[in-house]
Amino acid sequence: MPGPGFPVANKILFKYEQDRAYRLHRQKVHGSRPTVNNKKPQKHPHLILQLKKIQLEEERQAEVDHENRLLLQKMTKIMKEPAKVDSWNEYQSKSLNLPLRERQLRDIQMENIGLAKRLEHTRPVIRTDEMEEEYQQKKYLQMLWNENAKDFDMVIPRHQRYRQLRKIKEAELAKEREEKANNGEEGKKDALPPIGKNSEPQTIRYNGPDTQRSTRSDNGDKERKSDDGSSMDRSHFSSQADNDAKALFKVAKGLAQPDDVFIRNLVRRSQSQRAQIVERFKEMYSLDLATELMSGLGKDWESLINALLKNKSIGTAKVLHDALEEGDYPTAVEILFTCKNSDLTELKDTYRKEYSQSLDTTINEKTEDPERCLLATLAKGGRDESNKVIDSAAETDAEDLYESGDGRWTSDTGKFLKLLKTRNNKHIILVLNLYKINNKGIEATENIKRECSRTYSEALIALINCLHGSENHFADRLFRTMSPTNSEFVSLLVSRSEIDIPAVRKAYKKKYDAELMDDIRHKCQHTTTKVLLEIANKTPPDWPKTKHVDKRVRLPNVVIRRSSNDDFKTHQTSTQKKWKGANPVPQHSKPPIKRVEPSSKGAEQKHKHNPLAQTSMRIAADTSIQRREEEKHKHIEKEKRKEEERQKKNISGTIKPANNFNPSIDCERLHDALLEVPLDEEDIIDVLTTRSNGQRQIMKNKWPTKYKKYTLEAKLREKLSVEHDEVITGLLMTPSEYDAHCLQEALDGLGLSDPILVGILCTRDAKEMKEIKEIFKKEYKKDLVQELTAHVDPDLADFVALLCQGEREQDSEVNGQTAKKDAEKMNKNGRVDVVDKPFRDVVLKKNHAQVKLTFSEFQKLTGNDIYHSIADTVVGETEDAYISLVSAIEDPVKFYAEKLFTSFGGLGTNEDNVVRIIVSRSEIDLRDIKVKFQQQNQKSLSAMLKADFPGDSKDMLLAILGDN
């Protein structure tokens, strides 16, 4: 730090250092102890508060309010009643039929009001949407009638068409001969060329120049197909797009089965042809094809419709964005690495349009080194896509990679990322193989796991796996995401069907020893299964064709019979005799394969290590279903154990598990109560507040199976008032989910000053805290400890971080000798140091009763209360936070009782705090909190709730308390 009078390099840092030095100086001054005891006399609460004076003032104010109320009532009565003394000197003349006219006028007004209400709620008789639908239906039927009627007069029998074709060909040949003869050329006798199956289709004109012969598809639409059965190219597809659009319109209106139409008109079309169909549909009907199909077919078809009709780069961009948001770096690496340079450019443009931010910016903001370097290198593009490999260069690169030190895998200037930028995939594979040889047979992945962090090593290993074949990567993704409702699975299946689905099927078979088609058929029991099977069985148009298959007639195999002397004799069948001399395909007779059975232990040992003799380890559909059932059973058992553990802690809770619990009956009761007019709130409250949390979770999961249109929580929120939202949230969430929700709300509000946050941190064990942190991370994409310690003093941040570990003992045993020893260790010349290890060991690890006894022993030893000692050690907001945390640790019941009382005071009732405390402690210690509340305030919690709680959820809270 420069001396006075010298300029500084950074004024902000200089100011920060000055403030820090001054703060340290103040702490030292505050912590210094004078030789003469000049402390202020101890302040007694009764002298400071002057409770008697406050009581007198409140009584006087009550008397004044009472007198004012009486005076106001008297004044109101005087103003409403007529005067008893008549002081009028002039009187207005009144008609004798005035009451009759007033009554008639009032009747007219009531009729006008009723007429206005009827007009307000009147709906039009003519429905424009129904008229539009009828118009489209009529237009569609007219189009079908026109198409079915207009070609009847042009039908020509097949034999006449061939005769006509022969005459046309002969006429053309005769005309050519005449022309040659006229030109002086010698005419040649040309025979009419045969019309074979493989000859080009000829144009036949029937009644007009525009009528041509063409092949027809299965649905009667004109279509030209290639030899492999794929659809026609774009130049010949414009007329077919109209027919496809009409067929899809029929499906959207529920006039046809979607399976066959989807297969014919979408699956067997290329992506460009599907885009042309969408455009043509919009031109014909002024409607969006995807929207119409979704509204007509429902949510079951939504993923498939989006995958077929939407741009594939949009789905890839979404998966990439979610992977970067969630920190799933392997998925992000796989997507970027498997994209070609042209696809990567399109993906970047789509990403910018969808999320208003470039992909490079997202990578820089959401990731850190070394993952950032790897993703940025892949996202940059421009990689070498050739297959050229130079052996000498590969050997040099492998030696350089092996001899490189730290940073060869992670650094932006490291050897591996340089290879990734400049070399093609085959070259890198060869380098890694040579690296293994130089590394004494150890794979590069083993060194990556040892030298790199876990997240980066997973991303790098995913890249190396993609190097050895993208089809293996996509086969693995299909296996992991196989579900007809999973948009990622459906989009991946559709996108690869246009590129390399045969290779993916082969890789799937090799890796899992199961056919992709079989697993889709067994695992995807869905309305779209037939279409998914067709997509998975598709062959891309530009895919290399298989070897030529000999189409000559094949004879049946030679029948082999065994005689009595075990000699094999061959006998020709009648079919072979019939085709003798007809140039059949030769059939080779083979003896039957003998089954080799192990006859001794030596044979068993011989086949033990034979991989072909081992049982298959594939995960078949039946095995997968069985595993899902086992996982479901394990999940149910886990929930039961959690419920048993919660009930062990439910020593003084007001809500206990209901006997003879039946979730179906309870769901029916809730459904009937929600449909009644007016709403039957008593039945709703009775069901929700007399079931434990575990039973409510069973009801919550049972509800969608009975009433599929909505969830239980959504229905309760719809029917009940807004004031019930927090109570419904607390009752229908699991305890850990509700704790995470309360922590999020507290962090957005008061932070460590919130009693709910303090109570959760101080009363949860390690297992519960771990579950809360996982749920918080999953729901809010944030780390709980980082959020708690972001804006507090460093010493307090360490204390809170240790508190989040939940290492507290959960028993209730008390040891007096241990309490005395701990109190002596905590004693620092009559005070306590909040950063000292003995203090934190007691506060963070001992059970609540032991902590309370230790604080009592500390007061006997030093003569000072623990809270006064903390106040002497720290100041400001940190002091309040420490005192609040320690009081919650010492006696949670007393802490919650005090916080409930303060929630009813002040400028108004803090409804959220009251609801969260009552709901969260309802199955733990709410009964003890009620008793402590009444002892401290000479008034019951229920009475104060009835008097001062303004919300509509008062009855439900009283039911939770058990005092309604």
Side-chain angles (χ1 to χ4, degrees):
M1 181 182 294
F6 288 88
V8 296
N10 191 316
K11 292 183 179 181
I12 296 175
L13 293 178
F14 179 70
K15 182 66 170 62
Y16 173 77
E17 292 295 332
Q18 281 187 331
D19 294 342
R20 182 173 177 273
Y22 180 75
R23 187 166 63 254
L24 293 174
H25 170 68
R26 293 300 305 166
Q27 288 181 0
K28 291 177 181 178
V29 171
H30 186 75
S32 63
R33 299 189 62 190
T35 55
V36 179
N37 187 3
N38 55 358
K39 289 184 179 179
K40 295 179 181 180
Q42 187 176 2
K43 296 180 181 180
H44 298 282
H46 68 278
L47 297 177
I48 297 173
L49 293 178
Q50 297 181 358
L51 297 177
K52 186 62 178 180
K53 181 179 179 181
I54 295 173
Q55 181 182 0
L56 293 175
E57 291 179 355
E58 290 178 351
E59 292 176 354
R60 176 59 183 164
Q61 185 63 39
E63 292 178 0
V64 172
D65 292 341
H66 179 67
E67 292 175 358
N68 289 339
R69 194 180 302 108
L70 294 177
L71 179 60
L72 182 61
Q73 291 176 358
K74 292 178 181 178
M75 293 173 64
T76 304
K77 184 178 180 181
I78 291 172
M79 294 175 67
K80 286 184 177 180
E81 294 181 356
K84 294 183 179 180
V85 178
D86 190 0
S87 59
W88 294 92
N89 295 323
E90 296 179 358
Y91 295 93
Q92 295 180 357
S93 60
K94 295 184 179 180
S95 174
L96 295 177
N97 61 350
L98 179 63
L100 177 62
R101 289 186 305 185
E102 289 179 348
R103 187 165 56 254
Q104 291 176 349
L105 181 61
R106 187 166 53 253
D107 294 341
I108 293 172
Q109 291 175 348
M110 295 301 296
E111 291 178 1
N112 290 338
I113 292 172
L115 180 61
K117 288 183 178 180
R118 289 193 295 275
L119 289 175
E120 182 179 359
H121 294 87
T122 301
R123 295 291 179 265
V125 178
I126 300 174
R127 301 289 296 274
T128 56
D129 53 349
E130 293 180 358
M131 293 178 64
E132 177 66 21
E133 186 176 355
E134 291 176 0
Y135 170 74
Q136 295 290 349
Q137 180 75 6
K138 184 178 179 181
K139 185 177 178 181
Y140 172 72
L141 293 175
Q142 287 177 349
M143 178 262 297
L144 291 181
W145 294 334
N146 294 335
E147 288 184 352
N148 293 334
K150 66 183 180 182
D151 290 335
F152 288 164
D153 58 340
M154 296 185 294
V155 176
I156 298 176
R158 182 178 298 175
H159 66 280
Q160 294 182 10
R161 290 202 300 269
Y162 282 103
R163 289 177 183 176
Q164 188 174 2
L165 176 63
R166 188 180 185 89
K167 290 179 181 179
I168 292 172
K169 200 69 177 178
E170 289 177 353
E172 291 177 354
L173 291 174
K175 187 175 180 180
E176 289 178 1
R177 284 194 295 269
E178 290 177 1
E179 291 178 353
K180 290 180 180 180
N182 295 332
N183 294 332
E185 298 178 0
E186 295 182 358
K188 297 181 179 180
K189 296 181 180 181
D190 298 329
L192 186 67
I195 302 176
K197 293 184 179 180
N198 296 329
S199 61
E200 295 293 332
Q202 303 294 328
T203 301
I204 302 177
R205 297 184 179 181
Y206 300 128
N207 297 331
D210 298 334
T211 307
Q212 296 180 350
R213 175 178 177 267
S214 62
T215 59
R216 288 183 176 267
S217 62
D218 296 336
N219 59 352
D221 298 331
K222 294 182 179 180
E223 180 180 12
R224 179 176 297 168
K225 293 189 176 181
S226 59
D227 295 337
D228 60 352
S230 61
S231 302
M232 67 185 76
D233 57 16
R234 188 176 179 86
S235 61
H236 298 88
F237 187 71
S238 57
S239 61
Q240 183 62 29
D242 295 346
N243 297 326
D244 291 344
K246 294 171 186 177
L248 291 170
F249 179 81
K250 190 175 180 181
V251 170
K253 298 306 178 183
L255 302 175
Q257 292 295 329
D259 295 345
D260 297 334
V261 177
F262 266 64
I263 292 172
R264 284 197 308 267
N265 304 98
L266 289 179
V267 175
R268 293 176 181 172
R269 304 287 185 256
S270 64
Q271 186 180 3
S272 60
Q273 291 172 348
R274 288 197 290 267
Q276 190 176 353
I277 293 172
V278 172
E279 295 174 2
R280 189 59 186 148
F281 189 91
K282 192 169 185 180
E283 292 174 1
M284 294 174 62
Y285 304 106
S286 299
L287 298 170
D288 182 62
L289 177 57
T291 305
E292 290 299 309
L293 289 175
M294 288 179 191
S295 62
L297 299 178
K299 290 185 177 180
D300 291 343
W301 293 81
E302 183 175 353
S303 300
L304 183 60
I305 293 170
N306 286 330
L308 288 170
L309 300 181
K310 301 294 183 181
N311 190 354
K312 68 176 183 179
S313 59
I314 295 177
T316 307
K318 182 180 183 303
V319 175
L320 179 59
H321 178 267
D322 295 343
L324 292 175
E325 287 287 339
E326 298 173 2
D328 187 3
Y329 300 124
T331 302
V333 167
E334 290 166 353
I335 292 173
L336 293 174
F337 183 77
T338 53
C339 284
K340 297 181 180 179
N341 292 332
S342 58
D343 297 338
L344 188 59
T345 303
E346 183 182 358
L347 177 62
K348 284 181 169 181
D349 296 338
T350 305
Y351 192 93
R352 183 185 291 275
K353 292 178 183 178
E354 290 293 320
Y355 301 103
S356 302
Q357 190 180 33
S358 67
L359 178 59
D360 297 333
T361 304
T362 304
I363 291 173
N364 291 332
E365 291 180 356
K366 300 294 183 181
T367 60
E368 297 179 355
D369 290 334
E371 291 85 358
R372 181 187 299 163
C373 295
L374 178 60
L375 293 173
T377 301
L378 295 174
K380 188 176 181 180
R383 297 184 63 246
D384 184 10
E385 295 182 349
S386 65
N387 294 326
K388 185 177 181 181
V389 178
I390 302 175
D391 295 341
S392 59
E395 292 176 1
T396 305
D397 291 338
E399 291 176 0
D400 293 343
L401 181 62
Y402 177 72
E403 294 174 358
S404 299
D406 296 336
R408 57 180 168 180
W409 307 106
T410 59
S411 175
D412 192 19
T413 59
K415 185 61 181 176
F416 183 78
L417 292 185
K418 283 185 178 179
L419 288 174
L420 202 59
K421 294 177 185 176
T422 57
R423 302 296 189 181
N424 58 56
N425 294 348
K426 286 194 174 181
H427 185 93
I428 298 175
I429 292 173
L430 181 57
V431 169
L432 292 176
N433 292 335
L434 294 174
Y435 176 87
K436 178 180 178 181
I437 296 173
N438 295 334
N439 200 24
K440 299 179 182 179
I442 300 175
E443 295 281 353
T445 54
E446 298 297 328
N447 288 349
I448 291 172
K449 292 178 182 178
R450 185 171 61 254
E451 298 175 12
C452 305
S453 62
R454 182 181 61 83
T455 55
Y456 184 72
S457 63
E458 290 176 354
L460 211 56
I461 291 171
L463 186 146
I464 293 175
N465 292 335
C466 292
L467 270 172
H468 292 87
S470 60
E471 60 273 8
N472 295 320
H473 155 64
F474 291 118
D476 182 60
R477 282 183 60 189
L478 286 174
F479 179 79
R480 287 188 283 110
T481 62
M482 187 172 290
S483 173
T485 57
N486 190 335
S487 58
E488 181 182 355
F489 167 74
V490 179
S491 300
L492 182 61
L493 194 64
V494 172
S495 62
R496 304 320 297 181
S497 67
E498 301 288 337
I499 305 172
D500 58 352
I501 194 64
V504 174
R505 290 198 300 263
K506 186 176 180 181
Y508 192 95
K509 170 70 174 177
K510 183 177 180 181
K511 188 169 185 178
Y512 300 108
D513 194 20
E515 294 291 345
L516 177 60
M517 306 285 293
D518 294 340
D519 277 3
I520 292 176
R521 187 178 293 107
H522 289 90
K523 294 182 182 179
C524 302
Q525 300 292 335
H526 199 254
T527 56
T528 61
T529 303
K530 184 177 179 181
V531 184
L532 293 176
L533 288 171
E534 184 70 22
I535 295 172
N537 197 32
K538 188 177 179 180
T539 301
D542 55 349
W543 190 256
K545 294 184 179 180
T546 57
K547 295 181 180 180
H548 178 70
V549 180
D550 193 353
K551 296 184 179 180
R552 292 182 297 175
V553 179
R554 290 187 179 275
L555 299 181
N557 294 329
V558 176
V559 179
I560 301 173
R561 297 177 182 173
R562 182 180 296 223
S563 62
S564 58
N565 56 359
D566 292 333
D567 293 331
F568 293 105
K569 297 182 180 179
T570 60
H571 302 273
Q572 286 186 329
T573 62
S574 60
T575 308
Q576 287 176 310
K577 294 178 181 179
K578 178 180 179 181
W579 285 92
K580 184 176 181 181
N583 191 21
V585 177
Q587 301 292 328
H588 300 284
S589 62
K590 294 182 179 180
I593 299 175
K594 295 182 180 180
R595 183 181 299 275
V596 180
E597 299 181 357
S599 57
S600 62
K601 293 184 179 180
E604 293 178 0
Q605 294 295 329
K606 179 179 179 182
H607 291 278
K608 181 178 181 181
H609 301 288
N610 183 7
L612 298 177
Q614 303 299 322
T615 57
S616 175
M617 298 298 293
R618 79 180 186 94
I619 302 176
D622 297 338
T623 308
S624 178
I625 295 171
Q626 183 180 359
R627 288 187 179 181
R628 286 202 299 269
E629 293 294 331
E630 292 177 356
E631 291 176 359
K632 184 177 179 181
H633 182 69
K634 290 180 181 179
H635 179 71
I636 295 173
E637 293 295 330
K638 185 178 179 181
E639 292 296 328
K640 286 182 179 180
R641 288 195 297 270
K642 284 186 179 180
E643 181 67 16
E644 292 174 358
E645 292 177 1
R646 286 198 294 266
Q647 294 309 318
K648 289 179 182 178
K649 297 180 181 179
N650 189 358
I651 301 172
S652 63
T654 57
I655 295 180
K656 302 285 185 180
N659 297 326
N660 300 323
F661 169 67
N662 191 324
S664 298
I665 296 176
D666 288 342
C667 288
E668 292 174 2
R669 283 184 62 190
L670 284 175
H671 186 261
D672 296 340
L674 290 169
L675 292 180
E676 287 188 10
V677 179
L679 197 67
D680 188 0
E681 289 193 17
E682 293 183 1
D683 214 5
I684 296 171
I685 292 172
D686 180 63
V687 173
L688 293 179
T689 59
T690 57
R691 308 292 186 268
S692 66
N693 186 272
Q695 293 173 342
R696 287 194 295 269
Q697 297 306 314
I698 298 174
M699 290 166 49
K700 180 180 175 182
N701 296 329
K702 184 73 174 177
W703 183 275
T705 62
K706 295 177 69 65
Y707 314 104
K708 298 181 180 180
K709 293 183 179 180
Y710 39 73
T711 62
L712 176 57
E713 186 174 359
K715 192 64 176 178
L716 289 172
R717 288 178 184 274
E718 177 187 349
K719 294 295 183 179
L720 297 176
S721 60
V722 180
E723 285 79 4
H724 287 87
D725 285 355
E726 187 64 32
V727 183
I728 293 170
T729 300
L731 291 175
L732 296 183
M733 281 185 173
T734 63
S736 298
E737 290 174 349
Y738 190 55
D739 287 343
H741 165 75
C742 293
L743 288 172
Q744 172 65 16
E745 296 295 327
L747 289 172
D748 290 342
L750 300 176
L752 283 176
S753 300
D754 194 299
I756 308 300
L757 185 148
V758 173
I760 292 173
L761 294 180
C762 298
T763 57
R764 302 302 189 265
D765 58 19
K767 187 176 180 181
E768 292 171 339
M769 284 304 304
K770 181 181 179 182
E771 189 173 358
I772 291 170
K773 286 186 283 188
E774 290 176 353
I775 294 172
F776 193 90
K777 177 74 173 178
K778 180 179 178 181
E779 292 293 329
Y780 306 106
K781 313 301 182 197
K782 299 175 184 177
D783 185 79
L784 177 60
V785 180
Q786 292 179 1
E787 290 294 313
L788 289 170
T789 59
H791 305 293
V792 296
D793 186 81
D795 294 336
L796 183 58
D798 295 339
F799 185 85
V800 173
L802 293 172
L803 196 60
C804 289
Q805 297 178 5
E807 297 180 353
R808 184 180 319 286
E809 299 172 354
Q810 296 302 313
D811 55 6
S812 58
E813 297 181 359
V814 178
N815 191 321
Q817 297 296 329
T818 305
K820 290 181 181 180
K821 292 179 181 179
D822 291 337
E824 292 174 356
K825 293 178 182 179
M826 289 165 51
N827 182 19
K828 303 294 182 182
N829 297 326
R831 295 189 304 171
V832 67
D833 189 359
V834 293
V835 298
D836 195 20
K837 186 176 184 299
F839 173 78
R840 293 194 169 184
D841 286 343
V842 171
V843 173
L844 297 174
K845 296 182 179 180
K846 303 297 182 181
N847 63 60
H848 299 290
Q850 185 70 26
V851 172
K852 188 173 184 179
L853 181 60
T854 304
F855 287 168
S856 177
E857 293 293 336
F858 178 83
Q859 186 172 4
K860 293 178 182 179
L861 182 64
T862 61
N864 291 329
D865 188 7
I866 188 69
Y867 301 106
H868 288 88
S869 299
I870 293 174
D872 291 339
T873 306
V874 292
V875 294
E877 296 180 356
T878 307
E879 173 190 350
D880 298 335
Y882 267 114
I883 290 177
S884 181
L885 289 168
V886 171
S887 62
I889 293 169
E890 180 185 10
D891 193 346
V893 174
K894 181 180 178 182
F895 171 79
Y896 280 120
E898 292 175 351
K899 296 305 178 183
L900 277 173
F901 182 75
T902 55
S903 297
F904 285 108
L907 299 177
T909 302
N910 190 335
E911 299 177 37
D912 289 341
N913 275 356
V914 173
V915 170
R916 288 168 186 167
I917 292 175
I918 291 177
V919 172
S920 62
R921 310 305 293 183
S922 61
E923 297 187 40
I924 303 175
D925 53 3
L926 186 56
R927 198 180 302 277
D928 292 342
I929 294 173
K930 288 167 51 181
V931 174
K932 181 65 72 173
F933 187 93
Q934 187 158 6
Q935 291 175 355
Q936 290 179 344
N937 308 297
Q938 286 76 43
K939 190 175 184 180
S940 68
L941 177 57
S942 302
M944 188 166 284
L945 191 69
K946 292 177 183 177
D948 297 333
F949 192 84
D952 293 340
S953 58
K954 183 191 302 183
D955 294 337
M956 194 171 291
L957 294 177
L958 289 172
I960 294 173
L961 289 173
D963 297 333
N964 55 338

